[in-house]
Amino acid sequence: MGNFKGPLVTSGALHLGLFVMLMAGDIFSSPPPIPEALDVNVVQAVAIDQAAVEEYYQRIEDKKEAVRRAEQQKIEEAQRKAREVEQKRQQQLEDKRRAEAAAADALRKKKEQEKKAEEERKRKEQERLKAEKEAKERKEKEEKERKERERKAAEEERKRKEAAERAEQERQMQEQLQAEQQARARARSRQVLSELQKYTALIKQTIQRHLIVDASMKGKSCRLNIRLASNGLVTQVSVLQGDAILCRAAQTAVYRAETLPVSPEPDVFEQLRNINLTVEPNL
């Protein structure tokens, strides 16, 4: 035991000194290393002191952590304040920019309003001048139209009188013409009737020349419809009524004649082209 007395005293002194320094808070670095000269036989004493060392180390670490946290808080606080200052500066710049933009917008709007007011003034002035011009033109037009109406009324009255005079003259001329036409028509009607009777008689005579009769036909008659071309050519013969034997003989006589006498006058021929007549044998 005498061999270990010196090291034990030394170890105890060292740990006591470290403990005092820790309690005073004057050191934050690692403690000096334990001398290697200690023998394994003092393991229990060393182990007992190791707990104090570990507590010491832990307190140092806690102190360091507290300092680190305090420094970190300071840094974060400084950063926060810097951010606030920057945000405030940015806000001031943004407020300034908005104020300048608002001022520019207000100036733009003011200029636009002044421009619109000037345009409105010019528009109203143009409308006033236009209205005055239109009123003047309308008055001139109305005066011109009034004179034109008076001129037209006078012209229409003159034309009306002339038309009335012409109408009266035309009426008199028409009456005279109608009288003349009626006289001519009556004369022509008599002439046509005379011509129609003439050619009807000639047609009957032609049929009689070609008609073959016998005693049985005496006192009998047959009514025919004969259609003629413009040259007198017979185109169709139809029996309307009468004795059958006489009608067959009369039909044959017409076809045998081939052509019948017709007038060269168109109005006379018009009444001959589709003619109905009665055939009676001369017995």
Side-chain angles (χ1 to χ4, degrees):
M1 291 295 292
N3 295 330
F4 299 107
K5 185 177 180 179
L8 288 174
V9 173
T10 302
S11 177
L14 287 173
H15 284 86
L16 179 61
L18 290 173
F19 180 75
V20 170
M21 292 174 64
L22 176 62
M23 295 304 293
D26 292 332
I27 62 169
F28 298 98
S29 58
S30 301
I34 299 173
E36 296 179 357
L38 294 177
D39 192 67
V40 292
N41 293 325
V42 293
V43 170
Q44 185 175 3
V46 174
I48 294 172
D49 293 336
Q50 187 67 28
V53 173
E54 289 178 355
E55 182 179 357
Y56 161 73
Y57 284 156
Q58 184 62 43
R59 291 187 179 185
I60 291 177
E61 292 298 324
D62 291 344
K63 188 70 174 178
K64 287 183 178 180
E65 179 65 17
V67 172
R68 186 188 65 76
R69 287 180 179 178
E71 291 177 350
Q72 183 65 26
Q73 288 179 354
K74 290 180 179 181
I75 293 172
E76 291 177 352
E77 180 66 16
Q79 290 176 345
R80 182 184 65 76
K81 289 182 178 180
R83 284 196 301 271
E84 289 179 352
V85 171
E86 179 63 19
Q87 288 175 356
K88 185 176 181 180
R89 188 181 70 82
Q90 291 294 335
Q91 185 63 42
Q92 290 175 346
L93 291 175
E94 180 65 18
D95 292 344
K96 182 180 179 182
R97 185 189 66 76
R98 289 180 179 177
E100 291 175 350
D105 187 59
L107 180 60
R108 179 183 61 78
K109 290 181 178 179
K110 181 180 179 182
K111 290 182 178 180
E112 288 179 353
Q113 290 175 353
E114 291 175 350
K115 182 179 178 181
K116 287 181 179 179
E118 180 63 17
E119 291 175 350
E120 181 66 14
R121 185 191 66 77
K122 290 181 179 180
R123 185 185 66 78
K124 289 182 177 180
E125 180 65 15
Q126 290 176 352
E127 288 180 352
R128 184 185 66 79
L129 294 174
K130 181 180 179 182
E132 291 179 355
K133 181 180 178 182
E134 289 177 348
K136 182 179 178 181
E137 291 177 349
R138 184 167 56 252
K139 185 176 180 180
E140 292 175 351
K141 182 180 178 181
E142 289 174 353
E143 180 65 17
K144 183 178 179 181
E145 289 177 348
R146 183 186 65 78
K147 291 180 179 180
E148 181 65 17
R149 286 195 299 271
E150 292 177 353
R151 185 191 67 78
K152 286 184 177 180
E155 181 68 15
E156 289 176 357
E157 179 64 17
R158 183 185 64 80
K159 289 181 178 180
R160 186 189 64 77
K161 290 180 179 180
E162 291 179 354
E165 292 175 358
R166 285 197 303 270
E168 180 61 22
Q169 292 174 358
E170 290 177 358
R171 186 188 65 78
Q172 293 175 1
M173 291 176 63
Q174 189 68 23
E175 287 180 354
Q176 183 179 356
L177 180 61
Q178 287 178 354
E180 292 175 358
Q181 287 178 345
Q182 288 173 359
R184 286 197 298 270
R186 286 192 297 270
R188 182 58 182 168
S189 179
R190 288 192 296 269
Q191 183 181 358
V192 170
L193 180 59
S194 177
E195 286 289 306
L196 182 60
Q197 291 172 347
K198 171 185 172 182
Y199 279 95
T200 300
L202 291 173
I203 290 173
K204 284 185 177 182
Q205 289 175 8
T206 303
I207 294 173
Q208 288 292 337
R209 286 198 306 268
H210 292 84
L211 181 63
I212 299 174
V213 298
D214 57 33
S216 64
M217 298 178 184
K218 185 177 181 178
K220 295 180 180 180
S221 64
C222 178
R223 190 159 182 80
L224 300 177
N225 172 262
I226 303 173
R227 296 187 181 184
L228 304 173
S230 59
N231 60 357
L233 180 66
V234 176
T235 60
Q236 183 178 336
V237 181
S238 301
V239 175
L240 298 178
Q241 64 180 8
D243 181 72
I245 295 174
L246 177 59
C247 287
R248 281 196 300 271
Q251 235 179 342
T252 301
V254 174
Y255 282 124
R256 189 179 292 131
E258 293 184 358
T259 60
L260 297 175
V262 293
S263 173
E265 299 293 332
D267 51 353
V268 178
F269 171 73
E270 189 64 27
Q271 298 188 47
L272 291 173
R273 67 187 304 167
N274 188 6
I275 185 172
N276 295 332
L277 51 82
T278 301
V279 177
E280 295 176 345
N282 295 327
L283 293 173

